[in-house]
């Protein structure tokens, strides 16, 4: 595939970009996974997280929300010895905290998907950037999502992390307009690709 978005640097990046990034996801397990991984990425490269993704799935019960919510302090201490994940105490503890928050979200909203997608009116935002560098770090929607997640007690959910989550799960289509994945992602979102934005 040629002309991928310019953030793609490694083979792992390319596979993730081509098969997952920007494709609308309504699967609660996948959404919870991305919530945790985006938080873990804070201060690190996304390639680092992708390279540890299998380790995360093994360490965090394949991102089963209820299973992670039951993790004990002893289990957390064991995770901090696991080289397959980012061994940062605050990030590991936040995964458990966030799982418990997601349980409350599901009780009130029916699913994590219903809650998250409500911030974009259940329809992906379609952008048409010339370069990925033109995409914002956050938006009003990610600000609102961040505030709402924090109200449930979630950690590592600042607006920039929330916008990355929205991009990853297809709530926002931020593929560059000339990227071969832009139109397919737009079609998956039930919308025609956005028109190219004029310079200036």
């Amino acid at each position: 595939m040629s002309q991928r978005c310019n953030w793609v640097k490694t083979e792992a990046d390319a596979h993730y970009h081509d098969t997952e990034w920007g494709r609308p996801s309504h699967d609660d397990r996948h959404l919870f996974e991305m919530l945790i991984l985006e938080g873990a990425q804070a201060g690190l490269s996304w390639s680092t997280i992708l390279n540890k993704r299998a380790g995360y799935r093994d360490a965090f019960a394949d991102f089963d929300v209820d299973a992670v919510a039951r993790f004990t302090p002893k289990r957390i201490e064991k995770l901090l010895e696991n080289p397959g994940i980012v061994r940062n105490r605050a990030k590991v503890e936040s995964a458990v905290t966030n799982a418990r928050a997601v349980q409350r979200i599901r009780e009130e909203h029916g699913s994590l998907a219903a809650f998250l997608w409500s911030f974009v009116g259940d329809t992906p935002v379609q952008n048409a950037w010339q370069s990925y560098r033109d995409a914002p770090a956050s938006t009003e929607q990610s600000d609102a999502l961040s505030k709402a997640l924090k109200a449930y007690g979630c950690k590592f959910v600042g607006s920039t992390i929330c916008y990355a989550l929205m991009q990853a799960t297809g709530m926002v289509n931020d593929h560059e307009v000339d990227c071969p994945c832009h139109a397919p992602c737009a079609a998956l979102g039930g919308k025609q690709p956005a028109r190219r934005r004029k310079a200036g």
Side-chain angles (χ1 to χ4, degrees):
M1 179 181 290
S2 60
Q3 297 180 320
R4 288 185 178 96
C5 296
N6 65 23
W7 60 263
V8 175
K9 304 299 182 186
T10 69
E11 187 174 327
D13 289 347
H15 178 74
Y16 171 70
H17 169 275
D18 296 352
T19 63
E20 187 174 349
W21 192 74
R23 284 160 172 73
S25 173
H26 293 83
D27 178 79
D28 269 17
R29 188 184 293 257
H30 177 250
L31 292 169
F32 177 60
E33 175 182 11
M34 298 315 297
L35 176 66
I36 300 309
L37 294 182
E38 292 292 353
Q41 188 264 339
L44 302 171
S45 72
W46 184 241
S47 295
T48 296
I49 301 303
L50 287 179
N51 289 335
K52 290 181 177 289
R53 193 172 189 179
Y56 266 91
R57 286 176 172 169
D58 181 63
F60 288 96
D62 200 25
F63 293 102
D64 180 303
V65 171
D66 294 327
V68 176
R70 292 193 296 269
F71 280 13
T72 63
K74 184 177 180 180
R75 180 77 172 265
I76 290 173
E77 291 301 322
K78 187 174 182 180
L79 287 175
L80 292 172
E81 300 174 359
N82 186 342
I85 65 172
V86 176
R87 290 176 286 183
N88 174 290
R89 179 177 293 276
K91 291 179 179 180
V92 171
E93 290 178 343
S94 75
V96 180
T97 297
N98 290 356
R100 294 168 183 166
V102 169
Q103 287 181 317
R104 293 191 293 275
I105 288 171
R106 294 192 309 192
E107 288 174 2
E108 295 184 19
H109 298 273
S111 67
L112 178 59
F115 172 76
L116 293 178
W117 279 89
S118 69
F119 289 88
V120 292
D122 299 314
T123 302
V125 175
Q126 301 295 336
N127 291 320
W129 310 112
Q130 295 287 332
S131 168
Y132 179 74
R133 288 187 291 269
D134 296 330
S138 62
T139 62
E140 290 184 3
Q141 291 103 322
S142 67
D143 290 346
L145 175 56
S146 173
K147 182 177 180 180
L149 286 170
K150 288 177 180 178
Y152 278 99
C154 288
K155 305 295 184 183
F156 287 94
V157 288
S159 187
T160 298
I161 289 175
C162 284
Y163 191 68
L165 172 67
M166 293 167 69
Q167 292 173 312
T169 58
M171 294 170 64
V172 176
N173 180 4
D174 268 349
H175 281 284
E176 293 171 0
V177 70
D178 291 326
C179 173
C181 291
H182 185 275
C185 285
L188 287 171
K191 292 284 187 178
Q192 293 298 314
R195 292 183 178 179
R196 182 192 301 267
R197 297 192 178 191
K198 295 181 179 179

